[in-house]
Every structure is written in C-alpha cells, then in structure tokens.
Amino acid sequence: MKSFSPASPACLAASSEDVAQKLAALSHPARLEILRRLGGRSCCCKEVVAHLDLAQSTVSQHLKILVEAGLVRYEPERQRSRYQIDQAALAAVSASVSALVESCCAVEGADV
Amino acid sequence: MKSFSPASPACLAASSEDVAQKLAALSHPARLEILRRLGGRSCCCKEVVAHLDLAQSTVSQHLKILVEAGLVRYEPERQRSRYQIDQAALAAVSASVSALVESCCAVEGADV
DNA sequence: ATCGTTCATCGTCGATAAACGATGAAACCT
DNA sequence: AGGTTTCATCGTTTATCGACGATGAACGAT
C-alpha cells in the first residue's frame, strides 16, 4: 500500500518537528473523536458538534487545528462548511509512526 | 503480524484518551529524538543529554514523560539509570494509529 | 573523608493549549 | 424585509507544557 521507496527514508522520517507537529494534532481525545466521526464522508461543523458535547466554538477550533496540521481538508462552503479527512496525510502519519517503531526496534535484529 | 483479533477492536482503539495520551508523549521533537537514540539498547540519561544539547534536567523531564506514558522502561540503577524502549508499547501505539486510519478510510470501500 | 559524577526533583518563568461566551458575517427560509 | 441557522473569529480565563538553574541524594574514585 505504501508507495514510499524504502531507499529514501527521509521522506518518511521527515523532520522530527514535522512528525511531532502532526502527532500533536492527534494528541487530543476530542480531535480523535472528530476524526472517527468524519470517517470517510465529509461533515459540517454542526454535525460534529452534536456528536461531541463541546461548545461550537471549541469544536471549530479543534477542526482548525486538524486542518492546519494538514490532516483534514476544508471547503468553506456557503453555510455548511465541509470537513473531510485527508486520507493520504493520515496514512503518511501512520507510516511515520511505523517507521519510528521499526527504527527503534531494528537494532535488535541488526537490520541495517 | 498483528496478533489482535479483528473481532474486538476495543483493545486496539482503547479510549481516545488513552491513545491521545501516548500520542502526546510522542508529539515533541526532543522525545522523538530520544526514542531514536534509545533504539534497541538501553541508555543512561547522560548519554541522551550528550546527544540532544538540552539541559540535563530537561532531558530527565522528557524521559519521565516517556516513562509515564509507558513507552519507555525505567530501571533506577545505582548511578546510571537505564532507560529502554518498550517495544511492545510502541508497537501498540503504531497499531492504534493504523487502526484509526483504517477506520477513517473504511467507509469508502464499505469494508464492514 | 573528600571530591567529582550522575541523576531526579523542585521552583520559576514565559509560552502555549483548551475551553467558553459573545459577536458578526453569510446564507437560507417565509 | 425580518428571522433563523450555521459558522469562524475574538477576547478571556485557567491549566498545562517546555526549559532552565539550583539543589540534594547516591555512588565511585582517590
């Protein structure tokens, strides 16, 4: 599935800061719930609000954070703005974490 | 590879809070560097300090956070405390993230 | 016994995050 | 036109984070 060439781990590892930033966006229960809620479809803000019992302004803020992290795509439609998961970006984060784990465990088997 | 039964996603998903907490521990560049540094072996604090150019107290703090998140094992040896990655825990986090991604992308293919 | 190392903890400070209510813009409905 | 709905932003408050120096404990070496 991962279309990354194993020869250039740089594109996976990225800078620690880069990965850290995206993980920071994921490191809040509400935002994880939002992602689950978004699922594959696109939702408007209100829909998420109804699901979360947080103030609308708070949810909007969380959505903004996810958008700024590049994990969610945002289309400011008229009244009902559309929020939609950026699956590729999310998959990239997952890959980064996997890469991290592997790089940490690699020594054991002397994989290099 | 994953020895989780797909029938009980609860053990993967855990609570959002649980996952979020572990991700929070990973969401700092210094801590990612520390994990990379730890690799498979066990290091003492000073070793990490030398690698990071941060104050010793700061590094100790970061290590503590990683330990509290359950991602690093800590053995308060005499003078040179040993820090070692908990590979299983780290792998579990990776699995959680993967699960999240999949659950978010599943709708597209109607995988359920 | 005394020094030098290594390390964890404490207290502090500035910066950032999290949450909320209030406000105003934009669009829809009647 | 007038009311309603949806949403983003602003301003505020409280809490937590990140980093540091200082301190003291435990140990090894001399």
Side-chain angles (χ1 to χ4, degrees), chain B residues 2-65:
Chain B
K2 310 160 187 169
S3 59
F4 298 103
S5 56
S8 59
C11 68
L12 264 186
S15 65
S16 287
E17 296 182 2
D18 216 39
V19 179
Q21 188 212 344
K22 291 183 189 302
L23 289 179
L26 291 179
S27 67
H28 192 286
R31 292 196 286 269
L32 291 179
E33 281 303 320
I34 289 176
L35 287 181
R36 284 191 229 280
R37 189 58 179 177
L38 288 181
R41 52 193 164 280
S42 74
C43 296
C44 64
C45 182
K46 175 184 174 146
E47 207 170 338
V48 180
V49 170
H51 183 58
L52 272 192
D53 111 330
L54 278 177
Q56 177 266 328
S57 57
T58 305
V59 172
S60 190
Q61 193 64 20
H62 281 305
L63 283 168
K64 187 180 182 183
I65 290 174

Short mmCIF file of all heavy atoms in Angstrom, two decimals, chain B residues 2-65:
data_model
loop_
_atom_site.label_atom_id
_atom_site.label_comp_id
_atom_site.label_asym_id
_atom_site.label_seq_id
_atom_site.Cartn_x
_atom_site.Cartn_y
_atom_site.Cartn_z
N LYS B 2 0.01 -8.49 13.14
CA LYS B 2 -0.72 -8.04 14.32
C LYS B 2 -1.53 -9.18 14.89
O LYS B 2 -2.41 -9.73 14.22
CB LYS B 2 -1.65 -6.89 13.96
CG LYS B 2 -0.93 -5.82 13.20
CD LYS B 2 -1.93 -4.96 12.44
CE LYS B 2 -1.17 -4.01 11.52
NZ LYS B 2 -2.07 -3.33 10.59
N SER B 3 -1.24 -9.51 16.11
CA SER B 3 -1.91 -10.65 16.71
C SER B 3 -3.19 -10.24 17.42
O SER B 3 -3.56 -10.79 18.43
CB SER B 3 -0.97 -11.32 17.70
OG SER B 3 -0.58 -10.39 18.69
N PHE B 4 -3.84 -9.22 16.89
CA PHE B 4 -5.09 -8.79 17.50
C PHE B 4 -6.25 -9.43 16.75
O PHE B 4 -6.23 -9.52 15.52
CB PHE B 4 -5.24 -7.28 17.43
CG PHE B 4 -4.14 -6.56 18.17
CD1 PHE B 4 -3.09 -5.98 17.49
CD2 PHE B 4 -4.17 -6.48 19.55
CE1 PHE B 4 -2.08 -5.32 18.15
CE2 PHE B 4 -3.15 -5.82 20.22
CZ PHE B 4 -2.10 -5.25 19.52
N SER B 5 -7.24 -9.83 17.50
CA SER B 5 -8.41 -10.38 16.84
C SER B 5 -9.26 -9.23 16.32
O SER B 5 -9.61 -8.33 17.08
CB SER B 5 -9.22 -11.21 17.83
OG SER B 5 -9.54 -10.43 18.96
N PRO B 6 -9.55 -9.22 15.07
CA PRO B 6 -10.32 -8.14 14.47
C PRO B 6 -11.73 -8.05 15.02
O PRO B 6 -12.42 -7.06 14.80
CB PRO B 6 -10.33 -8.50 12.97
CG PRO B 6 -9.98 -9.96 12.92
CD PRO B 6 -9.17 -10.25 14.13
N ALA B 7 -12.12 -9.07 15.73
CA ALA B 7 -13.48 -9.06 16.27
C ALA B 7 -13.62 -8.10 17.45
O ALA B 7 -14.68 -7.60 17.73
CB ALA B 7 -13.89 -10.47 16.70
N SER B 8 -12.52 -7.86 18.13
CA SER B 8 -12.58 -6.96 19.29
C SER B 8 -11.65 -5.76 19.10
O SER B 8 -10.52 -5.77 19.54
CB SER B 8 -12.17 -7.72 20.55
OG SER B 8 -10.87 -8.24 20.39
N PRO B 9 -12.17 -4.78 18.40
CA PRO B 9 -11.37 -3.60 18.13
C PRO B 9 -11.17 -2.75 19.37
O PRO B 9 -10.37 -1.85 19.40
CB PRO B 9 -12.19 -2.84 17.09
CG PRO B 9 -13.60 -3.29 17.32
CD PRO B 9 -13.53 -4.68 17.87
N ALA B 10 -11.89 -3.11 20.42
CA ALA B 10 -11.81 -2.31 21.65
C ALA B 10 -10.39 -2.30 22.20
O ALA B 10 -9.91 -1.30 22.70
CB ALA B 10 -12.78 -2.84 22.69
N CYS B 11 -9.71 -3.41 22.08
CA CYS B 11 -8.38 -3.49 22.63
C CYS B 11 -7.40 -2.68 21.81
O CYS B 11 -6.35 -2.27 22.30
CB CYS B 11 -7.91 -4.95 22.68
SG CYS B 11 -7.63 -5.69 21.06
N LEU B 12 -7.77 -2.43 20.58
CA LEU B 12 -6.92 -1.59 19.74
C LEU B 12 -7.26 -0.13 19.96
O LEU B 12 -6.41 0.67 20.30
CB LEU B 12 -7.16 -1.92 18.27
CG LEU B 12 -6.19 -2.90 17.62
CD1 LEU B 12 -6.48 -2.99 16.15
CD2 LEU B 12 -4.78 -2.43 17.86
N ALA B 13 -8.50 0.17 19.76
CA ALA B 13 -8.95 1.55 19.84
C ALA B 13 -8.71 2.11 21.22
O ALA B 13 -8.31 3.24 21.38
CB ALA B 13 -10.43 1.64 19.49
N ALA B 14 -8.90 1.30 22.22
CA ALA B 14 -8.81 1.76 23.59
C ALA B 14 -9.66 3.03 23.70
O ALA B 14 -10.46 3.31 22.83
CB ALA B 14 -7.37 2.04 23.97
N SER B 15 -9.46 3.75 24.76
CA SER B 15 -10.18 5.01 24.86
C SER B 15 -9.40 6.04 24.07
O SER B 15 -8.18 5.95 23.93
CB SER B 15 -10.28 5.44 26.32
OG SER B 15 -9.00 5.71 26.84
N SER B 16 -10.14 6.98 23.54
CA SER B 16 -9.47 8.06 22.82
C SER B 16 -8.46 8.73 23.73
O SER B 16 -7.39 9.13 23.30
CB SER B 16 -10.50 9.07 22.33
OG SER B 16 -11.23 8.53 21.25
N GLU B 17 -8.82 8.81 24.97
CA GLU B 17 -7.93 9.48 25.92
C GLU B 17 -6.62 8.73 26.07
O GLU B 17 -5.55 9.32 26.16
CB GLU B 17 -8.61 9.61 27.27
CG GLU B 17 -9.84 10.49 27.22
CD GLU B 17 -10.48 10.65 28.58
OE1 GLU B 17 -9.93 10.11 29.56
OE2 GLU B 17 -11.52 11.32 28.67
N ASP B 18 -6.75 7.43 26.10
CA ASP B 18 -5.57 6.61 26.27
C ASP B 18 -4.61 6.81 25.11
O ASP B 18 -3.42 7.06 25.31
CB ASP B 18 -6.00 5.14 26.35
CG ASP B 18 -5.15 4.37 27.32
OD1 ASP B 18 -4.80 4.93 28.37
OD2 ASP B 18 -4.82 3.21 27.01
N VAL B 19 -5.15 6.67 23.92
CA VAL B 19 -4.32 6.84 22.73
C VAL B 19 -3.77 8.26 22.68
O VAL B 19 -2.58 8.47 22.41
CB VAL B 19 -5.12 6.56 21.45
CG1 VAL B 19 -4.25 6.75 20.23
CG2 VAL B 19 -5.68 5.15 21.49
N ALA B 20 -4.63 9.20 22.97
CA ALA B 20 -4.22 10.60 22.90
C ALA B 20 -3.05 10.87 23.84
O ALA B 20 -2.12 11.59 23.50
CB ALA B 20 -5.40 11.51 23.24
N GLN B 21 -3.12 10.26 24.99
CA GLN B 21 -2.04 10.48 25.96
C GLN B 21 -0.70 9.98 25.43
O GLN B 21 0.32 10.66 25.55
CB GLN B 21 -2.37 9.77 27.26
CG GLN B 21 -1.40 10.11 28.39
CD GLN B 21 -1.20 8.96 29.34
OE1 GLN B 21 -1.98 8.01 29.35
NE2 GLN B 21 -0.15 9.02 30.14
N LYS B 22 -0.75 8.81 24.83
CA LYS B 22 0.50 8.26 24.30
C LYS B 22 1.00 9.08 23.11
O LYS B 22 2.20 9.29 22.95
CB LYS B 22 0.30 6.80 23.91
CG LYS B 22 0.10 5.91 25.14
CD LYS B 22 -0.03 4.47 24.76
CE LYS B 22 -0.46 3.60 25.95
NZ LYS B 22 0.47 3.70 27.09
N LEU B 23 0.07 9.53 22.31
CA LEU B 23 0.47 10.35 21.18
C LEU B 23 1.05 11.67 21.66
O LEU B 23 1.98 12.22 21.07
CB LEU B 23 -0.72 10.60 20.25
CG LEU B 23 -1.16 9.38 19.44
CD1 LEU B 23 -2.36 9.72 18.58
CD2 LEU B 23 -0.02 8.88 18.58
N ALA B 24 0.50 12.17 22.74
CA ALA B 24 1.03 13.41 23.31
C ALA B 24 2.48 13.24 23.72
O ALA B 24 3.31 14.12 23.54
CB ALA B 24 0.17 13.84 24.50
N ALA B 25 2.76 12.06 24.25
CA ALA B 25 4.14 11.79 24.65
C ALA B 25 5.06 11.76 23.44
O ALA B 25 6.24 12.05 23.54
CB ALA B 25 4.20 10.47 25.40
N LEU B 26 4.49 11.43 22.30
CA LEU B 26 5.30 11.35 21.08
C LEU B 26 5.36 12.67 20.33
O LEU B 26 6.10 12.81 19.37
CB LEU B 26 4.73 10.28 20.15
CG LEU B 26 4.87 8.83 20.61
CD1 LEU B 26 4.22 7.90 19.59
CD2 LEU B 26 6.33 8.48 20.78
N SER B 27 4.58 13.63 20.77
CA SER B 27 4.40 14.84 19.97
C SER B 27 5.38 15.94 20.35
O SER B 27 5.01 17.10 20.44
CB SER B 27 2.97 15.34 20.10
OG SER B 27 2.75 15.79 21.43
N HIS B 28 6.60 15.55 20.55
CA HIS B 28 7.63 16.56 20.82
C HIS B 28 8.94 16.10 20.18
O HIS B 28 9.35 14.97 20.40
CB HIS B 28 7.81 16.74 22.33
CG HIS B 28 8.63 17.95 22.67
ND1 HIS B 28 9.99 17.98 22.48
CD2 HIS B 28 8.29 19.16 23.15
CE1 HIS B 28 10.45 19.17 22.86
NE2 HIS B 28 9.44 19.90 23.26
N PRO B 29 9.52 16.97 19.39
CA PRO B 29 10.73 16.61 18.64
C PRO B 29 11.80 16.00 19.53
O PRO B 29 12.40 14.98 19.16
CB PRO B 29 11.21 17.95 18.08
CG PRO B 29 10.01 18.80 18.02
CD PRO B 29 9.11 18.37 19.13
N ALA B 30 12.01 16.58 20.68
CA ALA B 30 13.07 16.07 21.56
C ALA B 30 12.77 14.63 21.97
O ALA B 30 13.67 13.79 22.01
CB ALA B 30 13.17 16.95 22.80
N ARG B 31 11.52 14.35 22.23
CA ARG B 31 11.19 12.99 22.68
C ARG B 31 11.32 11.99 21.54
O ARG B 31 11.69 10.84 21.75
CB ARG B 31 9.80 12.98 23.30
CG ARG B 31 9.76 13.75 24.62
CD ARG B 31 8.55 13.44 25.45
NE ARG B 31 7.33 14.04 24.94
CZ ARG B 31 6.88 15.24 25.30
NH1 ARG B 31 7.56 15.97 26.16
NH2 ARG B 31 5.77 15.73 24.81
N LEU B 32 11.01 12.43 20.34
CA LEU B 32 11.21 11.54 19.20
C LEU B 32 12.70 11.25 19.03
O LEU B 32 13.10 10.11 18.78
CB LEU B 32 10.64 12.17 17.92
CG LEU B 32 9.11 12.26 17.87
CD1 LEU B 32 8.67 12.92 16.57
CD2 LEU B 32 8.48 10.89 17.99
N GLU B 33 13.49 12.28 19.20
CA GLU B 33 14.93 12.09 19.10
C GLU B 33 15.43 11.13 20.17
O GLU B 33 16.28 10.28 19.93
CB GLU B 33 15.65 13.43 19.23
CG GLU B 33 15.63 14.26 17.96
CD GLU B 33 16.22 13.52 16.77
OE1 GLU B 33 17.24 12.84 16.95
OE2 GLU B 33 15.65 13.61 15.67
N ILE B 34 14.87 11.30 21.34
CA ILE B 34 15.27 10.40 22.44
C ILE B 34 14.96 8.96 22.08
O ILE B 34 15.78 8.06 22.28
CB ILE B 34 14.54 10.79 23.74
CG1 ILE B 34 15.10 12.11 24.27
CG2 ILE B 34 14.68 9.70 24.78
CD1 ILE B 34 14.40 12.64 25.51
N LEU B 35 13.79 8.74 21.54
CA LEU B 35 13.43 7.37 21.18
C LEU B 35 14.37 6.82 20.12
O LEU B 35 14.83 5.68 20.21
CB LEU B 35 11.98 7.33 20.66
CG LEU B 35 10.91 7.51 21.73
CD1 LEU B 35 9.52 7.43 21.11
CD2 LEU B 35 11.05 6.46 22.82
N ARG B 36 14.67 7.65 19.15
CA ARG B 36 15.61 7.20 18.13
C ARG B 36 16.95 6.86 18.76
O ARG B 36 17.62 5.91 18.38
CB ARG B 36 15.80 8.29 17.08
CG ARG B 36 14.66 8.42 16.10
CD ARG B 36 15.04 9.33 14.93
NE ARG B 36 14.03 10.34 14.67
CZ ARG B 36 12.92 10.13 13.99
NH1 ARG B 36 12.66 8.93 13.54
NH2 ARG B 36 12.06 11.09 13.79
N ARG B 37 17.34 7.68 19.71
CA ARG B 37 18.61 7.47 20.36
C ARG B 37 18.62 6.18 21.16
O ARG B 37 19.58 5.42 21.15
CB ARG B 37 18.91 8.64 21.29
CG ARG B 37 20.32 8.62 21.85
CD ARG B 37 21.27 8.63 20.70
NE ARG B 37 22.67 8.63 21.09
CZ ARG B 37 23.66 8.59 20.22
NH1 ARG B 37 23.39 8.53 18.92
NH2 ARG B 37 24.90 8.60 20.62
N LEU B 38 17.53 5.95 21.84
CA LEU B 38 17.44 4.74 22.65
C LEU B 38 17.54 3.51 21.76
O LEU B 38 18.19 2.53 22.11
CB LEU B 38 16.13 4.71 23.44
CG LEU B 38 16.05 5.70 24.61
CD1 LEU B 38 14.72 5.56 25.33
CD2 LEU B 38 17.19 5.47 25.58
N GLY B 39 16.89 3.61 20.62
CA GLY B 39 16.95 2.49 19.69
C GLY B 39 16.61 1.21 20.41
O GLY B 39 15.65 1.13 21.16
N GLY B 40 17.37 0.19 20.18
CA GLY B 40 17.08 -1.08 20.81
C GLY B 40 17.75 -1.22 22.16
O GLY B 40 17.28 -1.89 23.05
N ARG B 41 18.86 -0.53 22.32
CA ARG B 41 19.65 -0.71 23.54
C ARG B 41 19.09 0.15 24.67
O ARG B 41 18.12 0.86 24.52
CB ARG B 41 21.10 -0.34 23.25
CG ARG B 41 21.22 1.04 22.62
CD ARG B 41 22.60 1.29 22.04
NE ARG B 41 22.56 2.43 21.14
CZ ARG B 41 22.13 2.37 19.88
NH1 ARG B 41 21.68 1.24 19.39
NH2 ARG B 41 22.11 3.44 19.11
N SER B 42 19.77 0.06 25.78
CA SER B 42 19.36 0.89 26.91
C SER B 42 20.45 1.92 27.17
O SER B 42 21.64 1.62 27.08
CB SER B 42 19.15 0.01 28.15
OG SER B 42 20.38 -0.42 28.67
N CYS B 43 20.00 3.12 27.46
CA CYS B 43 20.94 4.22 27.65
C CYS B 43 20.76 4.82 29.04
O CYS B 43 19.71 4.67 29.66
CB CYS B 43 20.70 5.32 26.62
SG CYS B 43 20.99 4.82 24.92
N CYS B 44 21.77 5.49 29.47
CA CYS B 44 21.64 6.28 30.69
C CYS B 44 21.29 7.70 30.27
O CYS B 44 21.33 8.04 29.10
CB CYS B 44 22.93 6.26 31.50
SG CYS B 44 24.32 7.04 30.66
N CYS B 45 20.95 8.48 31.23
CA CYS B 45 20.47 9.83 30.97
C CYS B 45 21.55 10.67 30.29
O CYS B 45 21.30 11.36 29.31
CB CYS B 45 20.03 10.48 32.27
SG CYS B 45 19.37 12.14 32.08
N LYS B 46 22.72 10.58 30.81
CA LYS B 46 23.81 11.42 30.30
C LYS B 46 24.05 11.21 28.82
O LYS B 46 24.33 12.13 28.07
CB LYS B 46 25.11 11.12 31.05
CG LYS B 46 26.25 11.90 30.45
CD LYS B 46 27.58 11.60 31.08
CE LYS B 46 28.66 12.34 30.29
NZ LYS B 46 29.76 12.80 31.10
N GLU B 47 23.94 9.97 28.44
CA GLU B 47 24.14 9.63 27.04
C GLU B 47 23.16 10.39 26.16
O GLU B 47 23.51 10.92 25.10
CB GLU B 47 23.94 8.13 26.88
CG GLU B 47 24.70 7.49 25.75
CD GLU B 47 24.63 5.98 25.83
OE1 GLU B 47 24.37 5.48 26.94
OE2 GLU B 47 24.80 5.32 24.81
N VAL B 48 21.94 10.43 26.61
CA VAL B 48 20.91 11.13 25.85
C VAL B 48 21.19 12.63 25.87
O VAL B 48 21.05 13.32 24.86
CB VAL B 48 19.52 10.84 26.44
CG1 VAL B 48 18.45 11.57 25.65
CG2 VAL B 48 19.25 9.35 26.43
N VAL B 49 21.59 13.11 27.01
CA VAL B 49 21.87 14.54 27.15
C VAL B 49 22.94 14.96 26.14
O VAL B 49 22.81 15.97 25.46
CB VAL B 49 22.35 14.86 28.58
CG1 VAL B 49 22.87 16.29 28.65
CG2 VAL B 49 21.21 14.68 29.56
N ALA B 50 23.98 14.17 26.05
CA ALA B 50 25.09 14.50 25.15
C ALA B 50 24.61 14.61 23.71
O ALA B 50 25.15 15.37 22.92
CB ALA B 50 26.17 13.44 25.27
N HIS B 51 23.59 13.86 23.41
CA HIS B 51 23.12 13.80 22.04
C HIS B 51 22.16 14.94 21.70
O HIS B 51 21.94 15.25 20.54
CB HIS B 51 22.41 12.45 21.82
CG HIS B 51 21.93 12.24 20.43
ND1 HIS B 51 22.78 12.27 19.34
CD2 HIS B 51 20.69 12.00 19.94
CE1 HIS B 51 22.07 12.05 18.24
NE2 HIS B 51 20.81 11.89 18.58
N LEU B 52 21.63 15.55 22.68
CA LEU B 52 20.48 16.43 22.43
C LEU B 52 20.72 17.92 22.61
O LEU B 52 19.93 18.72 22.19
CB LEU B 52 19.33 16.04 23.35
CG LEU B 52 18.41 14.96 22.82
CD1 LEU B 52 17.17 14.89 23.68
CD2 LEU B 52 18.01 15.27 21.40
N ASP B 53 21.75 18.27 23.26
CA ASP B 53 22.00 19.66 23.66
C ASP B 53 20.76 20.35 24.21
O ASP B 53 20.20 21.29 23.69
CB ASP B 53 22.75 20.38 22.55
CG ASP B 53 22.02 21.45 21.78
OD1 ASP B 53 20.78 21.37 21.65
OD2 ASP B 53 22.69 22.33 21.31
N LEU B 54 20.37 19.77 25.31
CA LEU B 54 19.34 20.36 26.17
C LEU B 54 19.89 20.18 27.58
O LEU B 54 20.77 19.34 27.80
CB LEU B 54 18.02 19.59 26.06
CG LEU B 54 17.11 19.93 24.88
CD1 LEU B 54 15.89 19.02 24.88
CD2 LEU B 54 16.70 21.38 24.90
N ALA B 55 19.37 20.94 28.50
CA ALA B 55 19.84 20.79 29.87
C ALA B 55 19.52 19.41 30.40
O ALA B 55 18.55 18.78 29.98
CB ALA B 55 19.20 21.85 30.76
N GLN B 56 20.32 18.93 31.31
CA GLN B 56 20.12 17.60 31.86
C GLN B 56 18.75 17.48 32.51
O GLN B 56 18.07 16.47 32.38
CB GLN B 56 21.24 17.29 32.86
CG GLN B 56 21.09 15.96 33.56
CD GLN B 56 20.37 16.10 34.89
OE1 GLN B 56 20.49 17.12 35.56
NE2 GLN B 56 19.62 15.06 35.27
N SER B 57 18.37 18.51 33.21
CA SER B 57 17.07 18.46 33.88
C SER B 57 15.94 18.36 32.87
O SER B 57 14.96 17.65 33.10
CB SER B 57 16.88 19.70 34.75
OG SER B 57 17.00 20.88 33.99
N THR B 58 16.10 19.03 31.77
CA THR B 58 15.07 18.98 30.73
C THR B 58 14.97 17.59 30.15
O THR B 58 13.86 17.05 29.97
CB THR B 58 15.39 19.99 29.61
OG1 THR B 58 15.55 21.28 30.18
CG2 THR B 58 14.29 20.02 28.59
N VAL B 59 16.10 16.99 29.87
CA VAL B 59 16.09 15.65 29.31
C VAL B 59 15.47 14.67 30.29
O VAL B 59 14.66 13.82 29.92
CB VAL B 59 17.53 15.21 28.96
CG1 VAL B 59 17.54 13.74 28.57
CG2 VAL B 59 18.07 16.06 27.84
N SER B 60 15.84 14.82 31.54
CA SER B 60 15.28 13.95 32.56
C SER B 60 13.76 14.06 32.57
O SER B 60 13.04 13.07 32.74
CB SER B 60 15.86 14.33 33.92
OG SER B 60 15.54 13.37 34.89
N GLN B 61 13.30 15.27 32.40
CA GLN B 61 11.87 15.52 32.37
C GLN B 61 11.22 14.80 31.18
O GLN B 61 10.19 14.14 31.33
CB GLN B 61 11.63 17.02 32.27
CG GLN B 61 10.21 17.45 32.53
CD GLN B 61 9.76 17.16 33.94
OE1 GLN B 61 10.59 16.98 34.82
NE2 GLN B 61 8.46 17.09 34.13
N HIS B 62 11.82 14.94 30.03
CA HIS B 62 11.28 14.27 28.84
C HIS B 62 11.27 12.76 29.02
O HIS B 62 10.31 12.09 28.65
CB HIS B 62 12.12 14.65 27.61
CG HIS B 62 11.79 16.00 27.06
ND1 HIS B 62 10.53 16.38 26.70
CD2 HIS B 62 12.58 17.07 26.82
CE1 HIS B 62 10.55 17.63 26.24
NE2 HIS B 62 11.79 18.08 26.31
N LEU B 63 12.33 12.25 29.60
CA LEU B 63 12.38 10.82 29.84
C LEU B 63 11.25 10.40 30.77
O LEU B 63 10.61 9.37 30.57
CB LEU B 63 13.74 10.44 30.44
CG LEU B 63 14.89 10.39 29.44
CD1 LEU B 63 16.23 10.30 30.15
CD2 LEU B 63 14.72 9.20 28.50
N LYS B 64 11.02 11.21 31.75
CA LYS B 64 9.95 10.89 32.70
C LYS B 64 8.60 10.82 31.99
O LYS B 64 7.78 9.94 32.27
CB LYS B 64 9.91 11.96 33.80
CG LYS B 64 8.96 11.64 34.92
CD LYS B 64 8.98 12.74 35.98
CE LYS B 64 8.05 12.40 37.13
NZ LYS B 64 8.02 13.51 38.12
N ILE B 65 8.39 11.76 31.10
CA ILE B 65 7.14 11.77 30.36
C ILE B 65 6.98 10.49 29.54
O ILE B 65 5.90 9.89 29.50
CB ILE B 65 7.08 13.01 29.44
CG1 ILE B 65 6.91 14.27 30.30
CG2 ILE B 65 5.94 12.90 28.44
CD1 ILE B 65 6.99 15.56 29.52
#
